[in-house]
Amino acid sequence: AVVKDQMVQSVTVTGGGSGYAYNTEVTFSGGGGSGASAYALVGRGATVVFPPGRYQADAGILIDGLHNVNIIANGAYLYRSPTGTNPGLWFRSHCHNVTVEGLYLWGDSADRNGSYGVGILLSGDNIQLQRCSVSKWPNFAIQLSAETTVEARYYAGCTINGCDINNTFADGIHLNHGYIGTKITNNTIRNTEEEDGIACFNDLKDARLS
């Protein structure tokens, strides 16, 4: 459990157990506190909620190999100081069926820096970005890129919908290596400092992008 201001703010499930047929209560112990409560939902998927507020995550947030998960971040602002090579939000290890809704990503940069991590890096199938925002980012705001050396040769079915990309210093949405069937709909991309709003790029002859 993550504790902030002496309260439990979020929980990581490290073991799902077995045999649960209905939603169950969760109790907390340790850490010197008391009174925290929660409940677990029984179902095929899971929902993770970022409570509204400002989060500073200079190392970025890594989503590693998740399947069938909804991440709800309406009103959550993720701040990154202008240093570091990790993406602000990074999907890897072939995630699939993951939805991120309402995340606001702020980089606070004043110029282009190609060695800085991209804003949101997608590597997986059927990843959905809904109503997210990326601002003041020195590298690509959103990049879809298959890691062709260690993962699948292509990914499919991703959607970027209703997102706002503004005042960045490189491509707004950058598709690179082996992406098939990506849908980019109803987005606003502005002030990308003479870089592309949407770019499709393939520098590997054995990768597929369509």
Side-chain angles (χ1 to χ4, degrees):
V2 175
V3 175
K4 181 180 179 182
D5 299 329
Q6 298 186 348
M7 296 182 294
V8 173
Q9 297 289 319
S10 61
V11 176
T12 298
V13 178
T14 58
S18 62
Y20 292 101
Y22 53 88
N23 296 342
T24 182
E25 294 182 354
V26 177
T27 59
F28 297 85
S29 63
S34 63
S37 62
Y39 65 91
L41 296 176
V42 176
R44 294 183 60 189
T47 298
V48 178
V49 177
F50 281 84
R54 174 170 164 155
Y55 300 82
Q56 183 161 346
D58 290 341
I61 293 178
L62 172 62
I63 310 297
D64 195 0
L66 287 185
H67 302 161
N68 305 319
V69 174
N70 298 318
I71 300 172
I72 308 300
N74 293 321
Y77 290 75
L78 176 63
Y79 170 76
R80 276 279 301 276
S81 62
T83 58
T85 58
N86 290 337
L89 177 64
W90 183 12
F91 294 82
R92 75 174 185 189
S93 300
H94 207 155
C95 295
H96 67 265
N97 297 337
V98 179
T99 298
V100 180
E101 178 182 319
L103 180 68
Y104 187 97
L105 189 62
W106 175 269
D108 197 23
S109 293
D111 53 30
R112 173 74 182 264
N113 184 350
S115 63
Y116 189 91
V118 303
I120 300 175
L121 179 60
L122 307 182
S123 293
D125 294 309
N126 196 29
I127 299 175
Q128 316 290 316
L129 291 183
Q130 302 285 349
R131 296 184 300 282
C132 295
S133 178
V134 181
S135 298
K136 300 290 285 184
W137 209 263
N139 204 335
F140 306 140
I142 299 173
Q143 180 176 350
L144 294 86
S145 180
E147 175 49 76
T148 56
T149 59
V150 296
E151 295 183 353
R153 286 291 174 181
Y154 66 91
Y155 294 127
C158 291
T159 297
I160 302 172
N161 178 66
C163 295
D164 183 77
I165 298 168
N166 63 85
N167 300 305
T168 61
F169 299 92
D171 297 344
I173 300 174
H174 184 96
L175 283 74
N176 187 4
H177 309 330
Y179 258 90
I180 293 176
T182 299
K183 295 181 180 179
I184 300 173
T185 58
N186 302 316
N187 301 281
T188 300
I189 304 173
R190 62 188 188 278
N191 298 336
T192 57
E193 292 293 324
E194 300 182 358
E195 295 288 344
D196 299 320
I198 300 173
C200 297
F201 179 73
N202 189 357
D203 63 2
L204 295 179
K205 62 182 181 181
D206 60 343
R208 291 178 284 177
L209 185 152
S210 66

